[in-house]
Every structure is written in structure tokens, then in C-alpha cells.
Amino acid sequence: MVRVGVLAVQGDFIEHSHALKRVGVESVEVRLPEQLDSVDGLIIPGGESTTIVQLIDIYKFRDSLRAKSSEGFPIWGTCAGMIVMASELTDKRPDPLKLMDIVVTRNAFGRQVDSFEADIDVSGINDGPFRAVFIRAPIVTKVGKKVKILAELDNGNAVAVQQNNLLATAFHPELTNDSRMHLLFAKMIEDST
Ligand code: GLN
């Protein structure tokens, strides 16, 4: 059975823990880098990316996350988490961790009031479209050769991507009752161990 860590420095980590619990996957709130050694993968939740990156640096997660990610440790970032994982942002802030070969644009749909939901097809998710919740969401504007686009909006914006052990979604699967994305990540972890 896999143990999934949820980075619990800011944002909606509790919702991720609940989503994992619903499908019987053990989750651990990760607040210190040492805890990364006792989990099989990590979710970086949605929230406010400049704050999350600041806290990542204050608690000294940056080097260990970069090392683990290059060793094949599975990491999934949702929304702000996707921003944190990017190699480059079209914004000046924050300074992302550069785990994944993607360029990300923050707040790509405008302000909080421009949040929306959409039914999208996600490669690897069977039995129909996934109801995706976008809250001041980012989009992936450029991907490197090793990155696979798993889902796009009708306008062509990439909103779910994977690069080997790394997964990033611009939307928030933890805010719906649909657990298929959490199961997909748990499967990625299982396959990697
Ligand atoms: N707009 C936020 C940011 O740039 C991300 C929003 C979210 O995680 N829902 O950090």
C-alpha cells in the first residue's frame, strides 16, 4: 500500500488528504523535508504559489525536492502546485522549483470571479470526462520533448501534463467527489516502486 505525502505548508492540503482517504490511500501531511523519506510520493496542493514557494524555501524543501524528483520520486502539483513545479513562468514571481520541463502562465483566465468548471477528457482516465474545477488557474504554455500533454481545453490550452514521475494539473481534482485523478497518481506511485 502506498503512502502519499501532501505538502502542508499552505493551500488546500486537507482536501487532498480527504480525497485520498475516500479511495483508501494513506496520506501524510508533510511539513518538514525529512518527512519526504517516509512517503512514496508527494502532492503539492493548490493555494497561492508565491506563498508556497516562500515557505518551501523557509523550510528548506527546495534541494531535497529537486534531488528526489530527479531520482524518480512521484510528485503531483495541482494549480499553484503546477506553478511551483514549472521550469519557467511567464511571471516574474515566484522562482519555481524547475522540476518539470514546462512553461506556465499564472492566472491565465483572469481574476477569481473568472473561475469555472469544464468537462475534459484526460488521457489515462477512463469512463468518461473529468469535471475540472479551475480557480484562478494557470495554463501550460510550452512543453519540453519529454512532457506528455494529458488534457487540453477546447481552446487548446494544456491543463494536465506528465513527465515520467511528474504530474501537473491546472485544475483541482481534490475539490470534486471524483477520485479518478487521485487513483491515477496512486497508480503512478505503485508503478514506480
Ligand atoms: N492563482 C494562484 C497562484 O498563482 C493559484 C490558484 C490556485 O491554486 N487555485 O498561486
Side-chain angles (χ1 to χ4, degrees):
M1 216 332 236
V2 296
R3 262 160 76 89
V4 181
V6 185
L7 186 69
V9 293
Q10 197 268 339
D12 71 340
F13 52 88
I14 291 168
E15 285 76 4
H16 272 293
S17 303
H18 290 164
L20 291 164
K21 198 169 173 192
R22 267 202 311 274
V23 286
V25 175
E26 189 184 348
S27 72
V28 181
E29 290 185 359
V30 171
R31 294 197 164 79
L32 292 170
E34 298 82 76
Q35 288 176 279
L36 292 173
D37 293 330
S38 60
V39 293
D40 305 306
L42 183 75
I43 295 177
I44 305 178
E48 210 290 312
S49 58
T50 54
T51 309
I52 294 180
V53 169
Q54 255 172 16
L55 292 166
I56 281 177
D57 286 329
I58 287 173
Y59 292 107
K60 306 208 179 325
F61 274 104
R62 187 178 285 261
D63 292 347
S64 31
L65 280 176
R66 285 179 52 80
K68 287 227 164 239
S69 125
S70 63
E71 286 160 11
F73 179 75
I75 303 177
W76 173 22
T78 58
C79 201
M82 167 189 263
I83 299 168
V84 171
M85 291 172 77
S87 52
E88 201 182 313
L89 304 179
T90 53
D91 275 55
K92 285 202 186 72
R93 283 185 336 140
D95 176 21
L97 295 194
K98 305 172 187 69
L99 307 181
M100 246 182 137
D101 198 3
I102 52 174
V103 180
V104 169
T105 297
R106 294 175 64 198
N107 304 323
F109 304 98
R111 291 144 51 94
Q112 195 85 10
V113 288
D114 301 314
S115 298
F116 64 99
E117 296 184 15
D119 288 320
I120 59 171
D121 289 317
V122 183
S123 164
I125 297 281
N126 302 321
D127 305 322
F130 195 90
R131 184 86 181 156
V133 178
F134 293 87
I135 304 170
R136 280 198 94 198
I139 53 167
V140 179
T141 39
K142 215 169 146 193
V143 297
K145 279 200 203 77
K146 291 185 186 146
V147 179
K148 202 170 135 199
I149 295 175
L150 303 184
E152 288 175 342
L153 293 176
D154 289 342
N155 66 7
N157 288 159
V159 292
V161 287
Q162 181 176 1
Q163 180 181 343
N164 304 319
N165 52 313
L166 306 171
L167 176 68
T169 54
F171 49 94
H172 289 269
E174 72 285 10
L175 298 182
T176 67
N177 287 324
D178 190 337
S179 307
R180 287 177 294 168
M181 287 295 311
H182 287 82
L183 286 169
L184 180 86
F185 185 57
K187 172 109 185 12
M188 263 175 71
I189 297 178
E190 254 163 40
D191 293 347
S192 78
T193 49

